[in-house]
Amino acid sequence: MGRRGKYLLIDLDGRAMLIAHLRMTGDFAVARAGTPDPPHTRVAFRLNGRELRFIDQRRFGHMDLIDLTRPGRMAEWVRERRLGAEPLDPAFTSARFREILTGRRGALKPLLLRQDLVAGIGNIYADEILFQARLSPLRRVTSLRPAEVRGLYRQIRTVLHRAVERLSRGDEAVGGLLASREKGGICPRCGRALRMASVGGRTSYYCERCQR
Ligand SMILES: [Zn+2]
């Protein structure tokens, strides 16, 4: 299994790729074959004596099945889905990130959420990345100094890498801001009340003192 942006890639013997996006409430579970399906089971794959089930209460999740025997099909899928740079790929360097930001305008956070620029950053992790990089979600991208761009790049890699590691072990995704990211939450660095604002239509939490 692999991952591209927010998509899970399940390689079926090199002949086909099953691609799943969990969205809000989707999840996979493995169970013994023949045991009753839990509520909201949408798809069940029969394996040897077991079942892989896709459970999704709100049905926002979706799957693609693509034919890998067609040359270039995977690259074509990436283009169809308009996926940008893969943040944990070695090809995503600090220089590449600077290039991606060149010529962009507006507030920082909506740019981090654009899957066609850098794929895989969601709303909550964007807040965590900005907290760790000490940058405000409202900060204008054109005002960033080179050292701030490098710091942001480092935090994109660090925060996502840590989240993937922890969540694939089954641990909670603990971060600096994540646990305090709620109404009345306080900044884990300075103890001030966090600010909640809508930035580019998405709820954002940040500390006005620590993030500039
Ligand atoms: Zn603070």
Side-chain angles (χ1 to χ4, degrees):
M1 287 183 63
R3 185 187 52 78
R4 181 72 173 85
K6 299 181 187 176
Y7 293 86
L8 282 172
L9 309 180
I10 305 173
D11 189 334
L12 306 176
D13 292 337
R15 293 197 299 266
M17 189 74 84
L18 178 66
I19 304 173
H21 197 307
L22 303 177
R23 296 281 172 197
M24 304 278 289
T25 56
D27 202 3
F28 279 106
V30 179
R32 211 148 40 90
T35 52
D37 287 343
H40 314 299
T41 301
R42 308 299 178 193
V43 186
F45 299 95
R46 300 232 164 81
L47 310 173
N48 294 333
R50 292 196 290 178
E51 264 184 25
L52 177 67
R53 292 162 177 170
F54 182 65
I55 300 158
D56 188 10
Q57 191 194 343
R58 295 180 67 184
R59 295 189 198 231
F60 292 134
H62 61 92
M63 290 183 195
D64 286 335
L65 182 65
I66 66 169
D67 181 3
L68 292 184
T69 63
R70 256 180 62 198
R73 183 64 186 96
M74 194 62 216
E76 189 185 286
W77 176 85
V78 170
R79 281 195 301 277
E80 282 165 13
R81 291 290 176 185
R82 305 193 49 185
L83 296 180
E86 185 57 41
L88 299 183
D89 194 280
F92 182 66
T93 59
S94 183
R96 179 81 194 92
F97 181 55
R98 206 170 49 237
E99 265 171 41
I100 289 169
L101 293 185
T102 303
R104 309 277 165 202
R105 306 162 68 88
L108 204 42
K109 183 166 169 188
L111 281 179
L112 288 184
L113 294 177
R114 275 186 55 179
Q115 302 298 302
D116 60 327
L117 300 181
V118 178
I121 304 175
N123 190 37
I124 291 172
Y125 285 104
D127 280 2
E128 176 69 20
I129 289 163
L130 289 167
F131 175 76
Q132 297 292 351
R134 295 188 163 221
L135 294 168
S136 163
L138 302 163
R139 180 74 179 271
R140 302 276 119 186
V141 66
T142 45
S143 74
L144 290 177
R145 294 188 297 274
E148 290 175 317
V149 174
R150 284 195 299 275
L152 182 58
Y153 164 79
R154 265 197 311 276
Q155 291 306 334
I156 290 173
R157 306 249 308 177
T158 306
V159 166
L160 292 181
H161 180 72
R162 196 175 53 205
V164 167
E165 284 237 301
R166 292 189 65 94
L167 292 172
S168 36
R169 280 202 307 264
D171 293 345
E172 288 280 316
V174 179
L177 188 74
L178 287 179
S180 323
R181 207 183 164 286
E182 60 191 7
K183 247 191 156 139
I186 58 158
C187 172
R189 191 176 279 132
C190 75
R192 258 193 166 196
L194 289 177
R195 222 184 136 75
M196 190 180 85
S198 176
V199 185
R202 306 299 300 275
T203 303
S204 308
Y205 287 85
Y206 63 103
C207 175
E208 278 184 307
R209 182 186 285 175
C210 299
Q211 295 171 251
R212 297 299 173 102

